[in-house]
Amino acid sequence: MKNQKMYEADDKMISLIRDNYDLLQMLGSFGISLGFGDKTVKETCQDNGVDTYTFLAVVNFTINGFGDAEGDDQLSVPTLMHYLEASHAYYLDFQLPFIRRELEESLSPDDSLGQLILRFYDEYAREINRHMKYEQKTLFPYVEALLEGKPSADYNIETFSRHHGAADKKLRELKLLIIKYLPSDGFHNNKLTAALHDIYDNEEWLRQHSMVEDYIFVPAIRRLEQMMRQSDVTKNISDMVFKSGMGQNGDALSEREKDVIVALVQGMANKEIADHLCISVNTVITHRRNIARKLQIHSPAGLTIYAIVNGLVDISSVKL
């Protein structure tokens, strides 16, 4: 039964592991070393260069089996990337060969059914290799490019999400085949029982791994993609404004002209601007004429965009 406890940064790391010993492997995937004494989760993460918030998000999701990161913009994508890459290395380089050895030692080479079980396991191992290698060769480089501000035109996280299925079905089938069809004829095979136990553990590990990808990693990359799209739109507007931000004579706006733009964006009429800036209405009109000439922008909406992009006003103060 799930622990149903939400751990926090000030909790002792030893308490977290004592209550959930199966998180030991997760520590390694995050790059957290043992020997942390009585330090808190936050202190342990800081000592190991791990983002505390992201660590706790994955831990609490794994322990409790629920949670949704769709609106969570505090997650560290680099930390998630490191965790997933290390998890893949753990499973491919250690767990798969380890269980293979366990099965080989517990099944007689003269038992044809046992050898078929081994062949079935090898098929599973090849499938899980393809599954994880795809992510390492396609998904992870795509995310790294996103982090560097270089999005791909022909790939996105939805492409991955649509084809991302659970990878534990064959493992579940293998487990049932061993239980159903390998009777020991009255002899209790401790090695086979141990191998079965590890298969059960790995089935659960794969399920949790897949859920972390679907419910934490994928939403985080969606947000990253959205930020990139918004950044591109802002850049395009900025380029457009700055290209027209200097007149034919290369005239830059004066500080007073900038003040007039801010007042216009705030919805002031010419008389209100004159009173606000302590100048005459005719001077306001002259400033507006010079602004239009220099920027080649004549509409209030255009001036509003210019003011936002150039930091003259904050977008939160503008009535859109």
Side-chain angles (χ1 to χ4, degrees), residues 161-219:
S161 184
R162 282 196 300 270
H163 302 287
H164 184 232
D168 61 346
K169 292 180 181 178
K170 256 190 165 56
L171 200 60
R172 191 180 310 122
E173 188 176 346
L174 172 67
K175 173 190 67 181
L176 295 176
L177 283 171
I178 293 174
I179 294 172
K180 287 182 177 182
Y181 302 116
L182 278 180
S184 57
D185 295 326
F187 178 74
H188 187 67
N189 188 332
N190 288 326
K191 288 185 177 180
L192 186 57
T193 301
L196 269 173
H197 187 275
D198 286 337
I199 290 172
Y200 269 97
D201 284 346
N202 279 272
E203 181 186 354
E204 176 63 14
W205 184 91
L206 279 170
R207 186 189 68 81
Q208 291 177 345
H209 177 80
S210 181
M211 289 184 68
V212 167
E213 289 184 326
D214 288 339
Y215 291 95
I216 295 182
F217 186 65
V218 168

Side-chain angles (χ1 to χ4, degrees), residues 42-93:
K42 181 178 180 179
E43 291 169 338
T44 306
C45 286
Q46 288 177 340
D47 288 348
N48 290 271
V50 176
D51 180 71
T52 306
Y53 185 89
T54 305
F55 172 77
L56 283 171
V58 174
V59 163
N60 284 319
F61 180 85
T62 301
I63 291 172
N64 296 303
F66 61 85
D68 193 348
E70 284 288 351
D72 197 338
D73 58 0
Q74 298 183 61
L75 292 169
S76 165
V77 173
T79 297
L80 286 174
M81 284 277 290
H82 180 275
Y83 166 73
L84 293 176
E85 288 176 322
S87 295
H88 284 191
Y90 159 79
Y91 198 78
L92 296 179
D93 299 339

Side-chain angles (χ1 to χ4, degrees), residues 22 108 175 209 219 225 280 290 305:
D22 51 345
S108 170
K175 173 190 67 181
H209 177 80
E225 289 176 337
S280 70
N290 289 337
I305 292 174

Side-chain angles (χ1 to χ4, degrees), residues 83-142:
Y83 166 73
L84 293 176
E85 288 176 322
S87 295
H88 284 191
Y90 159 79
Y91 198 78
L92 296 179
D93 299 339
F94 175 74
Q95 275 299 336
L96 282 179
F98 177 77
I99 294 177
R100 177 61 161 78
R101 286 194 300 272
E102 282 190 306
L103 288 173
E104 193 172 16
E105 291 173 3
S106 62
L107 299 171
S108 170
D110 299 325
D111 184 347
S112 58
L113 188 55
Q115 295 309 303
L116 284 174
I117 291 290
L118 279 176
R119 283 174 55 185
F120 187 95
Y121 180 80
D122 290 339
E123 288 178 12
Y124 160 74
R126 285 192 291 271
E127 181 179 307
I128 200 70
N129 252 287
R130 285 194 299 269
H131 178 93
M132 291 186 174
K133 294 290 186 183
Y134 165 79
E135 294 181 14
Q136 292 169 206
K137 293 180 179 179
T138 304
L139 176 63
F140 294 162
Y142 165 73

Side-chain angles (χ1 to χ4, degrees), residues 218-237:
V218 168
I221 305 310
R222 282 198 191 104
R223 286 192 302 276
L224 186 58
E225 289 176 337
Q226 185 178 10
M227 289 170 58
M228 292 295 299
R229 289 193 294 269
Q230 291 174 341
S231 177
D232 287 344
V233 170
T234 301
K235 182 179 184 301
N236 291 338
I237 292 174

Side-chain angles (χ1 to χ4, degrees), residues 139 142 152 154-162 221 225:
L139 176 63
Y142 165 73
S152 170
D154 54 4
Y155 189 82
N156 57 45
I157 196 63
E158 292 306 322
T159 302
F160 165 76
S161 184
R162 282 196 300 270
I221 305 310
E225 289 176 337

